[in-house]
Amino acid sequence: MAVNNGGEDFSWTPPSDAEMKVIEARRERQDKITKLMGDYLLKGYRMLADSCQECGTVLLQDKKLKNYCVACQELDSDVDKDNPALNPQAALSQVRERQRIFNGHEEPHPTRSTPDLPAEARALPCPERPEPVPPRAEGDAAAPRQGYPRAYAHGEAERAVLQKLAWASGELERASSVEYSSQLCVLIRNCADTLHSLKRLA
Amino acid sequence: MEREFPAWRLIRIRVTLAERVMEIEKLVQTAESLENIMVRCFGPHGRQVLLVRDTGDILITKDGCRILESLLLEHPAARLMVQCVSAHCSLAGDGAKSFILLLAAMLRASRAEIGDGLPAHHGAQRLWLARGLAKLVQEVLEPVLARHLAPRCGSALCLSSGHPLLPREQAAQVLAAYFGGKVGPSHTPFLTQLACDFLQRLGDGEMEPALNLAANCFPGLHITVPGLPVGSSRVLEGLLLSRGFSLLCGQGETRVLVVDGSLLPPLTEAGYTLQLESAAGLAEARDWARARAEEALARLRALGVGLLLSGSRQPACVLELARRQGLSVVDCLPDEDLCLVRRLTGVGPLSQVADARPADTVPAGFARPAPLGTHEQVLVGFLGCCGLRAHSLAVCAPALGLAMQHRDAIHGAFKLLRFLLPHPGHHDRESKKLWTGDLEKGSERQGTGDLERENGKQGTGNLAKGGMRQETGNLERGSERQETGDLERESERQETEDLKIGSEIRGTRDFGQECEKQGMWEPGKAEDLTEGMLGTGGKGGKHHQPVDQLARREPWELSECELPAGRVLPPGGTFEFLMHHYLQREADSQQQPDVRAACRIVADALLNVPRHLHPRADRGRDFLQAHTNFAANLREQGVPAVVDGPLEVVAAKQCLLVSVIRCLRLLLAIDRVIAVRGKLGNKLPTGSEVAE
């Protein structure tokens, strides 16, 4: 897109789709940054002569003389979105990527991935129940591995969840400690929620 | 051998300066953040912006210049942009928001042009682009406007009896579009009518004789009255003086004399000592002085003088004597008021009252205390003001801030209307010389230095002395002006007091063009840009123009490449679409690559203004639709004739475009920013040195 000094450059080719996406994303980010900066300037922030060390945006200073970078502190940076340590969605997608590559498939079915999410997302907050999580995750991830049609995977998921529900109820009857009982109750509630989501999906 | 120690020692000091490179990315980001603010209040759908100041005050306004000056900006590029906007607005009265929109779009286009080359080459490419832009302004812009645009414009002036006339309806249409962008919608029609009334009454029935006076001397012609509803703003008959009566004896028709200094003669002069021979000597001396003053007052009374205007304070005994004679006295008048009186009536302060002649006095219809105002003021109804009638404007509003906004809006309206006149120009030409030439050495006239100084003072409330003198230097009588060698020498003297009201000042385009050709602009000189502060041009050699060769020319005869006066277009982007179209055609036909690139940049940037006229929701689609419609019309029958509805002034748009290009050239020429540690006030010039 640059015209060099002294002549027209006839070897310019239009950018490819991927490059267009990158350009669009960058432009959107810049627009967001300038909009935020405009808002803050109207609120009485001072625009400084210095730029941020990390991202290069112009710094703002509030009434309390604290320096503020709109890009670093308000917008998610481009890189953070893909950082698994910071973003659970990124972590999940990384896990799935690895499994897919391991099993030689490229693209998971988008609808099949949805029942994964409620189950796994709810499984994450209760780390004291690691046992049900891997079998369920593997079970649900196993279903799309086969490439079966959606109804079969849906049935599989329901069957697995019901199985777990039944097992949990059995355990609950036999449970003697309060702690264990409450954990089982949480598991039963999660299974019920999962079934609810699966029903909605159907 | 004994070794001799040297008496001095050479010490090498390495000084590290904190310096940064001003990348174009930063410039774009700064400009875009300002653009984001301006867009909110731009166009017919623009709303008022609420701004919280550092003192905790709240400012609600739509006026772009006011918003920009209230922002706290320490970034040197941002400060430079705001300074450029202020300078433009003080000259043209309008266009702050469009300025920032155009500037941001041009910076984006420049970034694309300079683009992805090696960073090491960016500096050279930026200079190359700056040169192209300068050539565009000099060689391309005026011909395009004159040849292609002018035939498609309407005219707001009508020629009658050899004199261009501005009808009230056209002026009202121009002002309706102007006020719509400055004040709230409820006040727009009222302020339009008020401004037109004021001009008409000041000009004694016609609008254009009063325009220059109103635009240049507005601070002396108005009074702001907070605490009253906006609807009570009105035009008052007579000139408002900023002091009250020290002595009021009569209010009727009378003659007025302006004196300089006390009527009581001093007992000694500077450098002399009064030697008293006896104890009663002092009393005798005083009595002698009193007698002299009494004589002078009696003489004045005999001449028919009933009102004395004095710049200095009159002692109590003089007031007593005046009361006996029946003269009214207003003293302690500031210099600006006296200058304005002189400009209106032609009489200046008299230092030797004893030599007063009837020609030194001026008739007045009345002199009475002013009904409005927080402190005492006097309304004097001067007569015989060389074609004008003395009137003042009272601007009322519930809050002082709102009153000041309305006052600035009305002032800007007069400056805008001035662009319709046939020589809008002296200011346009001045500004063009400044914009293209003042960055080079050896091209300054001191007169333009004065004009810049006036622009450099941001928001002066009172009429500044320097500005007053400059403007009287440009006083138009009829519509012909001449810049003589005398006038130039006179403006070099900083303390000149005798103004040539009576002399004809004649300006021609030949003169202007000569200035521009004589070394104002050479391609190589772009490297000499060392402008640190806006408004200080190179103080190199003076221009000594051979004035005798100047031809006398009628004002409405034009050279080929000149936009005729009074051209107007319908608003809504017509000007921008037309210029975009013609500049793109120019870009294709240009030989030089830098001018080609500059044409492309300006043509693309011009579209940013009509784009933002549409409401945000459907902006892209509406804008494309408007552009397509326009292109279709252009192909078929040309721009429809301007009949009625709001109008915008083409000369003002041209001035805006030239200002923006100049600001862009300044920004592109910045190579390094060297930080100077120190506390800056908000109104001070940028503390960083901008070096090439």
Side-chain angles (χ1 to χ4, degrees):
Chain A
M1 283 209 272
V3 173
N4 290 326
N5 194 354
E8 306 281 341
D9 193 31
F10 288 112
S11 61
W12 175 81
T13 51
S16 67
D17 271 352
E19 284 175 18
M20 280 302 292
K21 275 199 191 150
V22 169
I23 292 172
E24 284 287 329
R26 206 180 293 159
R27 193 187 310 163
E28 262 193 54
R29 183 163 180 267
Q30 286 300 322
D31 284 344
K32 278 193 213 142
I33 289 178
T34 49
K35 180 171 187 315
L36 283 172
M37 273 178 66
D39 287 336
Y40 280 118
L41 283 174
L42 282 176
K43 278 195 207 137
Y45 280 47
R46 188 183 283 260
M47 182 192 273
L48 296 179
D50 306 312
S51 333
C52 176
Q53 306 286 359
E54 291 149 19
C55 58
T57 331
V58 179
L59 283 174
L60 297 172
Q61 191 185 62
D62 62 2
K63 308 277 175 51
K64 302 187 182 63
L65 304 182
K66 200 173 69 101
N67 289 4
Y68 184 76
C69 173
V70 276
C72 296
Q73 284 165 2
E74 278 208 26
L75 292 180
D76 303 329
S77 79
D78 291 335
V79 187
D80 281 356
K81 223 173 30 191
D82 302 323
N83 190 352
L86 291 176
N87 196 337
Q89 303 295 337
L92 284 172
S93 54
Q94 217 176 42
V95 164
R96 249 178 272 135
E97 278 283 339
R98 250 186 264 127
Q99 285 166 348
R100 255 179 265 125
I101 291 170
F102 180 69
N103 291 293
H105 274 263
E106 284 151 359
E107 191 94 14
H109 198 289
T111 54
R112 259 175 259 126
S113 57
T114 336
D116 287 345
L117 250 52
E120 287 161 350
R122 276 178 188 79
L124 281 176
C126 29
E128 64 266 37
R129 306 294 304 182
E131 302 156 321
V133 176
R136 209 183 313 152
E138 269 167 18
D140 284 352
R145 259 185 265 144
Q146 317 299 329
Y148 282 139
R150 180 181 154 185
Y152 182 74
H154 185 260
E156 277 282 315
E158 261 195 80
R159 195 184 53 75
V161 173
L162 282 168
Q163 200 181 27
K164 208 48 75 176
L165 192 62
W167 172 83
S169 318
E171 281 291 304
L172 190 60
E173 281 174 30
R174 288 193 296 276
S176 48
S177 81
V178 178
E179 188 62 30
Y180 191 48
S181 311
S182 58
Q183 286 173 354
L184 284 171
C185 287
V186 167
L187 174 61
I188 291 173
R189 186 185 56 192
N190 285 343
C191 293
D193 286 338
T194 318
L195 280 174
H196 193 61
S197 313
L198 287 173
K199 288 268 178 351
R200 259 189 294 148
L201 197 63
Chain B
M1 186 126 50
E2 208 176 46
R3 212 167 104 209
E4 281 184 352
F5 287 106
W8 46 268
R9 203 181 288 176
L10 181 63
I11 304 172
R12 191 174 305 173
I13 304 174
R14 183 177 302 164
V15 176
T16 37
L17 298 169
E19 61 173 55
R20 301 187 288 281
V21 175
M22 178 69 73
E23 291 144 16
I24 197 152
E25 196 57 51
K26 294 282 179 305
L27 291 174
V28 172
Q29 198 173 60
T30 321
E32 280 186 349
S33 53
L34 293 179
E35 180 196 21
N36 191 278
I37 299 177
M38 292 289 108
V39 159
R40 297 162 203 230
C41 42
F42 180 70
H45 304 276
R47 297 155 304 176
Q48 303 211 325
V49 156
L50 181 99
L51 187 60
V52 180
R53 291 219 206 124
D54 46 351
T55 52
D57 286 343
I58 295 186
L59 177 71
I60 302 180
T61 178
K62 223 173 163 189
D63 182 1
C65 196
R66 198 170 272 270
I67 296 174
L68 286 173
E69 285 172 359
S70 313
L71 294 176
L72 297 171
L73 300 167
E74 278 187 16
H75 195 272
R79 290 178 79 95
L80 191 60
M81 288 178 206
V82 172
Q83 274 185 345
C84 289
V85 172
S86 302
H88 171 77
C89 283
S90 63
L91 181 71
D94 189 25
K97 293 175 278 212
S98 315
F99 191 109
I100 296 283
L101 285 177
L102 282 173
L103 185 64
M106 284 195 204
L107 278 170
R108 281 193 287 263
S110 308
R111 178 181 58 182
E113 287 277 338
I114 289 174
D116 315 317
L118 289 170
H121 293 168
H122 278 185
Q125 280 183 313
R126 280 157 61 159
L127 277 185
W128 172 82
L129 205 54
R131 275 200 285 277
L133 286 165
K135 281 191 219 167
L136 172 84
V137 169
Q138 269 229 309
E139 298 165 13
V140 175
L141 205 60
E142 277 239 28
V144 164
L145 276 167
R147 267 190 247 121
H148 301 297
L149 217 73
R152 302 195 184 277
C153 303
S155 180
L157 298 178
C158 40
L159 251 69
S160 89
S161 63
H163 223 59
L165 220 62
L166 178 65
R168 187 189 164 118
E169 302 76 33
Q170 314 280 46
Q173 281 164 4
V174 172
L175 289 186
Y178 163 80
F179 276 115
K182 284 259 177 166
V183 297
S186 44
H187 297 145
T188 299
F190 175 70
L191 286 179
T192 315
Q193 290 308 312
L194 186 69
C196 292
D197 276 338
F198 180 61
L199 273 183
Q200 211 163 19
R201 289 175 69 172
L202 189 62
D204 202 10
E206 300 303 333
M207 300 203 56
E208 65 293 331
L211 260 181
N212 268 306
L213 182 71
N216 298 332
C217 307
F218 188 68
L221 289 172
H222 81 283
I223 174 180
T224 353
V225 187
L228 292 175
V230 176
S232 29
S233 309
R234 67 174 73 95
V235 183
L236 305 168
E237 200 172 331
L239 186 67
L240 260 181
L241 301 172
S242 37
R243 293 281 180 272
F245 278 110
S246 315
L247 180 67
L248 178 58
C249 285
Q251 299 193 17
E253 189 162 337
T254 181
R255 295 191 83 85
V256 181
L257 180 72
V258 185
V259 294
D260 179 32
S262 162
L263 251 62
L264 200 65
L267 295 182
T268 69
E269 294 167 27
Y272 290 86
T273 319
L274 181 67
Q275 196 164 18
L276 298 172
E277 290 171 4
S278 63
L282 189 57
E284 277 175 21
R286 288 216 178 108
D287 285 337
W288 170 87
R290 257 179 80 100
R292 296 285 84 69
E294 200 164 347
E295 270 175 29
L297 281 169
R299 192 187 147 78
L300 290 182
R301 204 63 184 121
L303 284 175
V305 173
L307 174 62
L308 220 59
L309 299 179
S310 162
S312 50
R313 197 170 123 74
Q314 299 293 339
C317 57
V318 170
L319 291 179
E320 174 62 33
L321 290 169
R323 191 180 62 78
R324 280 199 221 140
Q325 298 276 355
L327 272 94
S328 308
V329 178
V330 181
D331 59 0
C332 304
L333 280 171
D335 285 340
E336 294 92 11
D337 282 3
L338 295 178
C339 281
L340 187 54
V341 169
R342 177 152 61 178
R343 180 161 174 164
L344 258 184
T345 59
V347 291
L350 201 63
S351 32
Q352 292 297 335
V353 182
D355 305 333
R357 290 160 310 178
D360 296 324
T361 66
V362 66
F366 58 86
R368 54 168 177 258
L372 299 166
T374 48
H375 47 268
E376 305 238 338
Q377 288 186 299
V378 172
L379 264 180
V380 182
F382 287 107
L383 302 170
C385 306
C386 29
L388 306 168
R389 291 189 82 87
H391 281 82
S392 306
L393 188 64
V395 183
C396 307
L400 184 61
L402 189 63
M404 282 164 55
Q405 284 185 41
H406 286 181
R407 169 201 71 190
D408 290 340
I410 296 179
H411 195 180
F414 297 145
K415 288 185 196 162
L416 178 67
L417 281 180
R418 195 168 47 176
F419 275 100
L420 282 173
L421 293 187
H423 284 255
H426 184 70
H427 300 270
D428 218 8
R429 187 148 301 280
E430 291 270 63
S431 54
K432 256 221 298 234
K433 281 196 275 254
L434 296 170
W435 305 152
T436 59
D438 61 347
L439 302 173
E440 276 78 24
K441 293 187 195 142
S443 57
E444 270 311 296
R445 296 180 312 133
Q446 191 64 19
T448 58
D450 275 352
L451 179 63
E452 276 294 283
R453 223 180 299 130
E454 188 196 58
N455 291 338
K457 283 184 228 139
Q458 295 178 13
T460 49
N462 292 323
L463 192 60
K465 217 171 178 177
M468 185 66 210
R469 253 179 269 123
Q470 170 62 22
E471 292 317 320
T472 52
N474 298 340
L475 179 61
E476 272 188 328
R477 300 263 262 117
S479 42
E480 294 175 291
R481 296 171 347 218
Q482 172 190 36
E483 287 142 20
T484 61
D486 285 344
L487 185 59
E488 244 189 299
R489 253 177 275 126
E490 196 181 73
S491 30
E492 280 171 25
R493 271 187 269 126
Q494 299 302 317
E495 295 306 314
T496 160
E497 273 296 311
D498 37 32
L499 302 161
K500 297 185 174 181
I501 297 273
S503 68
E504 296 248 73
I505 333 174
R506 200 171 39 157
T508 65
R509 274 153 207 92
D510 286 338
F511 183 31
Q513 278 168 6
E514 241 177 300
C515 269
E516 282 173 12
K517 278 187 216 134
Q518 283 188 23
M520 297 273 289
W521 162 250
E522 281 166 26
K525 286 268 186 78
E527 277 103 22
D528 296 345
L529 303 173
T530 47
E531 172 137 305
M533 198 180 118
L534 195 74
T536 51
K539 295 276 191 238
K542 299 266 174 254
H543 252 324
H544 294 294
Q545 291 302 311
V547 175
D548 317 318
Q549 304 158 5
L550 300 179
R552 200 188 167 94
R553 231 209 267 214
E554 300 300 347
W556 49 87
E557 285 173 14
L558 303 158
S559 58
E560 271 188 14
C561 295
E562 186 81 22
L563 185 72
R567 289 287 173 249
V568 287
L569 277 174
T574 319
F575 175 80
E576 284 83 16
F577 285 140
L578 279 171
M579 284 300 291
H580 168 82
H581 173 77
Y582 290 120
L583 275 178
Q584 276 198 322
R585 274 200 349 208
E586 269 306 309
D588 294 332
S589 63
Q590 269 288 332
Q591 306 290 341
Q592 310 166 53
D594 50 356
V595 183
R596 238 201 329 262
C599 286
R600 267 199 303 265
I601 288 180
V602 175
D604 288 335
L606 275 165
L607 289 183
N608 201 27
V609 172
R611 180 177 292 135
H612 286 286
L613 284 174
H614 300 281
R616 197 192 184 91
D618 300 319
R619 182 166 288 165
R621 186 188 71 201
D622 287 347
F623 167 66
L624 282 176
Q625 190 116 44
H627 199 181
T628 326
N629 289 345
F630 176 80
N633 284 340
L634 193 64
R635 266 198 304 274
E636 291 165 20
Q637 79 249 17
V639 177
V642 169
V643 181
D644 52 1
L647 299 170
E648 53 183 32
V649 183
V650 177
K653 290 270 175 184
Q654 178 190 6
C655 180
L656 172 71
L657 201 55
V658 171
S659 309
V660 177
I661 294 180
R662 177 183 189 246
C663 184
L664 180 65
R665 284 176 56 214
L666 275 179
L667 289 171
L668 285 175
I670 297 176
D671 193 45
R672 290 271 188 276
V673 178
I674 300 177
V676 168
R677 298 286 159 225
K679 235 168 174 283
L680 299 174
N682 210 22
K683 295 286 186 190
L684 290 177
T686 165
S688 315
E689 271 180 41
V690 170
E692 159 59 13

